[in-house]
Structures are given as structure tokens and as C-alpha cells.
Amino acid sequence: MPRLKPIEWTGTDVVIVDQTVLPGALRYETVETPEQMFDAIRRLKVRGAPLIGVSAAFGVYLGMKQLGVSAGGAEAVFRARQTADYLATSRPTAVNLFWALDRVKRRVAGMESVSGQQVTQAVLDEACAILKEDRAMCRAIGEHGFEELRRFDVLHTHCNAGGLATSDMGTALAPVYVGLERGKTFHVIVDETRPLLQGSRITAFELMQAGVPITLICDNMAASVMKRRKVDAVIVGADRIAANGDAANKIGTYGLALIARAHGVPFYVAAPSSTIDPSLCDGSLIPIEERSEDEVTCGMGRRTAPEGVVVHNPAFDVTPAELIAGIITERGFFRAPYDFSRV
Ligand code: MRU
């Protein structure tokens, strides 16, 4: 079955898969305005660090489409910057969002003296380039990751760092897909990933679609499963990696890394270089998104906690570099002590 494209530029429209309704429904949506793109990112219709970046870049283009045909270059450059700054406030943790928006802003810098239409075209070209590069990045991570992981049979993953978190085969799941192409079938243990269930709703869905054998577990089963069953390695994605290798990813990742360390299971992170934030010396500086308490109290479609309960709902946590066996990027495999100067 062909892999779903979570975002597509059709030549006239930006079309996304609404990931909030997976796996029950496969709903495509045409996004027409930056406000709709902001909402899609904020509400996790499009999600996963690389995909957020790609989506935001197209969101800037949607803002440019609202300009009148007679708009001049200066007005268009202003609009591009303004829309990028607006979209940058949609989610705080995945640095790929800011990376992609900065690229768009750099692309139009100095274009004040050309026509507004030329600026709009430059924004669209940059968004399409980011999308295309994202596809190549996934493939390269898949190749490097497969080289490292091919000796293993059973992998454990958290959240969704697969095709639906990028524009192609994902990051953490890319080695699994490359393995399939080469005749190697991994068995993947997928944990649910409370509170929004990206593991059970999205990772389980896409791996089963691809014909990968999986076992779905609740998050709180990970320690027991690692103790009782064969788990060769854990592989997850990341939303932001600090200069020292500390990596932010979906809440629960840090706990899983501790469990892996306790059981002698290597723990890998797969992420593109656009996820590395060299401006932060360590993970304590990574901003962690706090999301609505409803996700915890009503996450199963009905109320599961008393009214008025105090809730803490951080969407991400930070795994310290010392728990990470290696970081797989499109430029190759990195081990501690990390030197990201070649990314
Ligand atoms: O809140 P989400 O669903 O956007 O969180 C996604 C993750 O934490 C992914 O593991 C991460 O973005 C890497 S995606 C290749």
C-alpha cells in the first residue's frame, strides 16, 4: 500500500491529512489561510517536528496568496515576515518550525525592489524545496539507521516519528521501512503514547499499513515488557536536540530511556540536522510545551477524572545525552561526546 502523504502541494492547493481523526477516518483537508495552518499545527492535525516545519513554510505561502495582485515587493516581504512570525507562535518545542520559517524569511530578504508576485513565488519555491529536502532527509536517515540497526530484530518506539511526522518515511521508522525494502522485517513494539495516543493511533496504523509486524502496549507496560521479552533496541524521534546531545521528544521518552538503560537495551534517537539547536548548550534550555488539561481529563472521548482536578500536561520531556547510544541524522551517525559541527 502506498505511504500516505500527510501534506501535499497539488500545484494549486495545500492538502493535509487531519491526523486527529486517525485511524478511524482518513480525512483530507485543503488548508487555505495561515490561520487555518496555525490551527492545524496547534491542534495536531499536522504534527511531528519535520512536518510542522514543512507545513509552516506552506502556511507563509497561504498568507502571500491573500495579497492583492498589485502588491509591491516591500509589502510582500513584510507580509512574509509577519506571517512567519505569527506561525512561529503555534508550538514552542520543535525547532524545525523556527528553522523552516527562518529559511523562508532568509529567502525573501532583500527582495523589496521586485514585484510582490516574485516574492510570493520565492516563498512557494522555498516551501517546495523544504518539502523535497525533507523526503531526501528521511531516506538518508533510513539508510544510516538501517546500517546501525540491521543486527537487531525487535525495536521499541514511542509516539510517532514515522511517515506521518514527516513528508516521507519518517525518522525513527525510516530504518524499518528501508529494512522492508531490503528483505529485513523488524518487529516493532509500539507504545500508546498518552495522552494523545500518537503511538496507537498513528504509528500502529502506518506500520500495519506497510505490513510491519507490531505489538501495541500501554506506556506503563514498557519496563515489564523489556524485562520479560526480547527487545533489542529503542528508537525514537526528537523535537529539539541541544548542543550536548540532550534530546526533547514526546512526553514519556525520558522514562523509556531510563527503562532501556536499566535493562541494557541501547536507546537511539533519529532526527534530521534541522532538529539540532546548537544555540542551546543543554536540554534544560529547551522550551517544553504545556498543553490543555482536557487532553488528560477527557482524552478518551469522555471524562476520566473528577471536575476541578489539578493537571500538569507537558507535551515533551528531555532525555539526557548520557542515556542515548547514538543520534542518527541524514549526515550520519553521531555518538557522545557530540560534535555537530559537520551537520
Ligand atoms: O506532539 P507531536 O505529535 O507533534 O509530537 C511528535 C513527537 O514527539 C515526535 O517523536 C517528534 O516530533 C519527531 S517526528 C519525526
Side-chain angles (χ1 to χ4, degrees):
M1 205 168 187
R3 192 172 296 117
L4 281 183
K5 291 192 169 76
I7 190 163
E8 205 167 5
W9 168 243
T10 65
T12 51
D13 291 310
V14 179
V15 179
I16 62 164
V17 172
D18 176 356
Q19 297 191 33
T20 62
V21 295
L22 286 174
L26 180 53
R27 188 187 294 155
Y28 290 91
E29 195 173 297
T30 300
V31 186
E32 289 173 346
T33 65
E35 291 75 19
Q36 286 175 4
M37 188 59 91
F38 182 101
D39 183 65
I41 294 171
R42 182 89 195 105
R43 293 182 46 213
L44 275 52
K45 288 182 175 181
V46 285
R47 42 143 306 278
L51 185 64
I52 292 172
V54 173
S55 304
F58 279 105
V60 180
Y61 168 66
L62 297 173
M64 307 305 288
K65 275 176 82 178
Q66 295 170 331
L67 281 173
V69 278
S70 59
E75 189 186 346
V77 170
F78 179 77
R79 172 64 68 95
R81 287 205 191 109
Q82 192 185 41
T83 312
D85 291 345
Y86 162 67
L87 288 164
T89 60
S90 54
R91 292 190 78 186
T93 303
V95 75
N96 314 61
L97 172 69
F98 313 105
W99 170 87
L101 292 170
D102 283 347
R103 264 184 68 161
V104 173
K105 286 205 270 189
R106 278 202 307 275
R107 176 73 179 247
V108 301
M111 290 186 79
E112 284 82 358
S113 55
V114 305
S115 74
Q117 281 174 341
Q118 282 171 296
V119 179
T120 298
Q121 187 59 47
V123 170
L124 178 59
D125 290 347
E126 194 63 22
C128 291
I130 293 171
L131 175 74
K132 194 167 161 211
E133 288 167 34
D134 191 60
R135 292 194 170 133
M137 167 284 285
C138 291
R139 162 67 51 187
I141 288 179
E143 302 281 347
H144 293 304
F146 182 63
E147 276 317 301
E148 177 67 21
L149 302 178
R150 63 191 308 162
R151 63 186 193 275
F152 300 136
D153 298 313
V154 183
L155 305 177
H156 186 142
T157 194
H158 185 65
C159 193
N160 175 262
L164 286 155
T166 61
S167 24
D168 193 46
M169 59 167 72
T171 59
L173 300 188
V176 174
Y177 294 126
V178 168
L180 269 191
E181 291 172 4
R182 308 262 165 90
K184 161 91 188 186
T185 306
F186 293 100
H187 186 107
V188 184
I189 295 177
V190 176
D191 53 30
E192 271 186 312
T193 318
R194 279 282 286 147
L196 294 181
L197 306 177
Q198 288 93 330
S200 60
R201 291 189 307 102
I202 303 172
T203 298
F205 169 77
E206 71 164 82
L207 287 176
M208 287 173 75
Q209 246 202 347
V212 176
I214 68 158
T215 302
L216 177 66
I217 62 168
C218 300
D219 301 343
N220 53 6
M221 298 171 186
S224 161
V225 167
M226 236 178 257
K227 188 174 174 71
R228 289 183 294 111
R229 292 170 62 146
K230 174 177 150 68
V231 178
D232 297 315
V234 178
I235 183 158
V236 297
D239 288 82
R240 199 184 292 225
I241 300 173
N244 71 341
D246 291 351
N249 191 49
K250 180 53 55 191
I251 191 75
T253 303
Y254 174 36
L256 188 60
L258 288 167
I259 291 169
R261 172 58 58 89
H263 293 88
V265 172
F267 180 96
Y268 296 95
V269 171
S273 48
S274 53
T275 303
I276 297 166
D277 185 348
S279 74
L280 303 183
C281 60
D282 67 52
S284 67
L285 300 169
I286 298 176
I288 300 294
E289 178 180 10
E290 177 79 22
R291 291 187 63 87
S292 157
E293 59 183 50
D294 300 356
E295 293 179 353
V296 178
T297 57
C298 307
M300 304 292 183
R302 69 183 177 87
R303 196 152 183 104
T304 55
E307 293 285 353
V309 68
V310 175
V311 174
H312 177 39
N313 183 19
F316 300 97
D317 59 25
V318 177
T319 299
E322 60 264 25
L323 295 178
I324 300 172
I327 298 178
I328 302 156
T329 78
E330 77 278 24
R331 311 255 166 90
F333 188 78
F334 291 79
R335 279 182 212 281
Y338 294 100
D339 171 11
F340 294 124
S341 55
R342 73 182 154 100
V343 298

